[in-house]
Amino acid sequence: LRSYVNVEKILTSLPDNSELFQLAHKTNKELRLWEIMEDSEGSRKYATTFNEKERYQYKISPVSLTADALDILIYDNKVAIISFREGATGVVISNVDYYNNSKALFDYIWATLP
């Protein structure tokens, strides 16, 4: 699972989300999670709560890269986009080509971040 996430917004809008991801990560030993998140105290604190660092990795994005969407998830040939700009909205795009392009772009950005 690859994710661009704004942890501060998640903690405000979906306070249980952090616990759900940690539970999923703990119970599903196949789940590997890479997150690119905003530079905030909340995101750094959230990232340190994962125990198995070989299956969970994160990088902090520069301010110029921060996404407006609350969360973008890239997984299982799907891309999910979640936003709270005008109420809770989300869309899941199930398209192999879009998934592959999104995954390649994520991996490129991941490789360029310190």
Side-chain angles (χ1 to χ4, degrees):
L1 173 66
R2 290 161 175 83
S3 174
Y4 301 98
V5 60
N6 187 314
V7 174
E8 289 288 335
K9 288 182 182 177
I10 287 276
L11 293 173
T12 302
S13 302
L14 299 168
D16 295 335
N17 194 64
S18 172
E19 292 174 19
L20 292 173
F21 262 92
Q22 289 178 23
L23 180 61
H25 191 259
K26 184 182 287 187
T27 57
N28 181 353
K29 298 299 182 187
E30 300 295 316
L31 179 61
R32 296 179 54 87
L33 180 56
W34 295 271
E35 292 188 306
I36 297 174
M37 58 186 71
E38 86 288 355
D39 190 1
S40 71
E41 184 178 328
S43 65
R44 290 177 188 277
K45 183 178 178 183
Y46 161 80
T48 61
T49 61
F50 286 86
N51 293 329
E52 298 185 42
K53 299 301 180 192
E54 67 277 359
R55 293 191 309 115
Y56 175 78
Q57 296 179 23
Y58 74 97
K59 291 192 177 185
I60 303 296
S61 71
V63 173
S64 61
L65 187 61
T66 302
D68 285 336
L70 186 62
D71 203 356
I72 299 171
L73 305 161
I74 304 165
Y75 65 101
D76 297 338
N77 294 327
K78 298 175 183 78
V79 178
I81 304 166
I82 302 164
S83 176
F84 276 84
R85 184 177 301 273
E86 297 175 11
T89 60
V91 63
V92 176
I93 301 168
S94 182
N95 178 286
V96 173
D97 294 329
Y98 188 74
Y99 165 81
N100 286 331
N101 289 340
S102 298
K103 182 178 157 193
L105 183 57
F106 181 96
D107 291 347
Y108 173 78
I109 292 169
W110 182 269
T112 64
L113 291 173

